[in-house]
Amino acid sequence: MSKSSANEQQIQEFIGAGPEAPRVRLCGFATGKSQLLPGHETWLRQHVLPILSGGTVTLIRLRGLASRIGSSALNYRLSIERANAVKRFLERESRKSINMDVNGYGEARSGSNEKDNNPFFRAVDVYIYETPIPPPDPKIAPPVPCAGTMYIGIGIKGGGMLGIAGYQYLYGWLYSSDDYDDSCSLEAMVGSFGVGLGAGVNFVFLIGHGAVNNIDFKGTHFDGWSVAVSLGAKWGDVVKGIKSTPALLRILPVIKNGPVKGTALKTLLRLSKSEWKEMSQLANTIGDALNIDPCGSSPKIDAIDIPFAGIALEVSLTKWWARVTAVY
């Protein structure tokens, strides 16, 4: 295998690797995009179009690829879109009907690291067959349909800090982002570590994923620090969006009027159907920022503290961990 003199991020030639190896890999597609790069078009004009004009090509096989960034279902569709982009270019430039076999590998042939966005895997493999006709490619099975869903909701985290450690509780509601009637309440035990003193009640925005049914979240461990770190520069905008949701705008005036009994707080957490729609849209935005896959291999909950959205008698900077003890 050797590299061509073209841009190494765009073209990888395979020479002397046998008839079942691709002639070239068109690399470096933009993340999440299927548009051809200038280097791709140049190589196809120089190396494929002249062969097509000779009339000896019996088949062109195009196989799209995608890196592991994003969900497997999305990557499968994206890989096919990239292969189709090459097909459309060849048909347009040659102005003739070409026997082309188009499909995608998705992320199945990419690196094992889920955060690996190597341009070598954002690509299309181009196979060029001349007489005789090659054997058929093994059938590529589409990905297993996603059985998971994303859950969103609000939680109340209450308790206190004394010195560097504390114990709190969390009570919340989760709603499926696809079905308002698919909802549940949950309770969690919370342990915290940091610097602070006092007691208070704060609101938490919850995102659940990787579960087929909401009962699967029972026993799930989650925390309240890593999500904010993962969001990075987007964290402020996300929190601003959360604080402007109708559900919180309804709850906050009640909280500011004075102490509220626990049972009343739990009732406040229930969302109306219109509030649920607003929260679902926001959850999708956060899910994209965190690369959340609702079809993950195991149930997971992400939690984002809502600063200044509760009644707090404490000032603290803490890292906290939680475990869901009940779902009903």
Side-chain angles (χ1 to χ4, degrees):
M1 183 173 66
S2 65
K3 296 174 183 176
S4 73
S5 59
N7 188 332
E8 294 179 1
Q9 295 296 310
Q10 297 183 19
I11 301 296
Q12 182 77 52
E13 288 187 352
F14 296 78
I15 298 176
E20 290 307 310
R23 183 76 61 89
V24 70
R25 174 167 290 188
L26 308 177
C27 308
F29 281 80
T31 301
K33 304 295 183 182
S34 60
Q35 289 81 6
L36 296 180
L37 300 179
H40 300 160
E41 296 182 351
T42 298
W43 193 94
L44 292 170
R45 286 194 182 98
Q46 293 177 348
H47 298 276
V48 179
L49 293 178
I51 301 176
L52 292 177
S53 63
T56 61
V57 174
T58 55
L59 173 67
I60 292 181
R61 180 174 289 158
L62 304 173
R63 292 293 180 264
L65 297 93
S67 69
R68 291 189 178 273
I69 298 295
S71 70
S72 59
L74 174 64
N75 288 334
Y76 178 69
R77 293 194 300 271
L78 178 59
S79 69
I80 295 177
E81 290 172 4
R82 287 171 174 166
N84 275 318
V86 177
K87 177 179 183 290
R88 289 192 296 271
F89 175 82
L90 292 175
E91 288 177 336
R92 183 178 70 248
E93 293 294 313
S94 65
R95 298 181 181 179
K96 61 190 300 185
S97 177
I98 309 169
N99 183 18
M100 284 189 274
D101 175 19
V102 179
N103 214 320
Y105 293 123
E107 61 184 41
R109 298 197 175 189
S110 301
S112 59
N113 187 340
E114 292 185 358
K115 295 184 179 180
D116 186 355
N117 197 26
N118 193 313
F120 186 70
F121 301 126
R122 305 195 307 271
V124 173
D125 283 346
V126 180
Y127 300 76
I128 301 174
Y129 298 100
E130 299 178 78
T131 307
I133 298 176
D137 195 30
K139 186 176 181 180
I140 302 173
V144 177
C146 173
T149 185
M150 185 180 296
Y151 288 83
I152 46 95
I154 303 177
I156 299 172
K157 181 163 62 71
M161 288 287 294
L162 181 60
I164 62 172
Y167 173 79
Q168 298 174 304
Y169 66 87
L170 187 147
Y171 183 93
W173 279 95
L174 283 179
Y175 290 80
S176 165
S177 61
D178 300 321
D179 183 1
Y180 173 75
D181 295 321
D182 180 6
S183 66
C184 69
S185 58
L186 61 84
E187 294 181 2
M189 297 175 60
V190 181
S192 54
F193 180 84
V195 179
L197 179 66
V201 174
N202 288 88
F203 289 96
V204 180
F205 188 82
L206 301 171
I207 304 177
H209 46 100
V212 176
N213 299 298
N214 55 49
I215 193 65
D216 296 336
F217 289 115
K218 186 175 181 179
T220 300
H221 293 260
F222 60 101
D223 62 71
W225 194 324
S226 62
V227 173
V229 173
S230 299
L231 283 169
K234 300 178 182 179
W235 186 81
D237 292 336
V238 167
V239 170
K240 186 184 298 183
I242 293 173
K243 291 172 67 175
S244 65
T245 57
L248 283 177
L249 294 176
R250 168 177 57 82
I251 294 171
L252 286 180
V254 179
I255 299 299
K256 291 177 180 179
N257 287 335
V260 182
K261 292 182 178 180
T263 53
L265 281 173
K266 294 175 182 179
T267 301
L268 284 175
L269 291 180
R270 302 203 64 168
L271 305 179
S272 68
K273 200 154 191 176
S274 61
E275 291 170 341
W276 164 75
K277 289 182 179 178
E278 295 274 355
M279 295 276 279
S280 295
Q281 294 174 358
L282 182 60
N284 290 332
T285 299
I286 298 174
D288 290 341
L290 293 173
N291 289 320
I292 289 176
D293 180 4
C295 300
S297 58
S298 60
K300 183 178 179 183
I301 293 177
D302 292 317
I304 302 177
D305 278 302
I306 307 174
F308 316 114
I311 48 172
L313 304 176
E314 64 179 339
V315 176
S316 61
L317 176 62
T318 63
K319 161 74 173 179
W320 57 268
W321 301 265
R323 179 176 64 87
V324 178
T325 56
V327 176
Y328 46 86

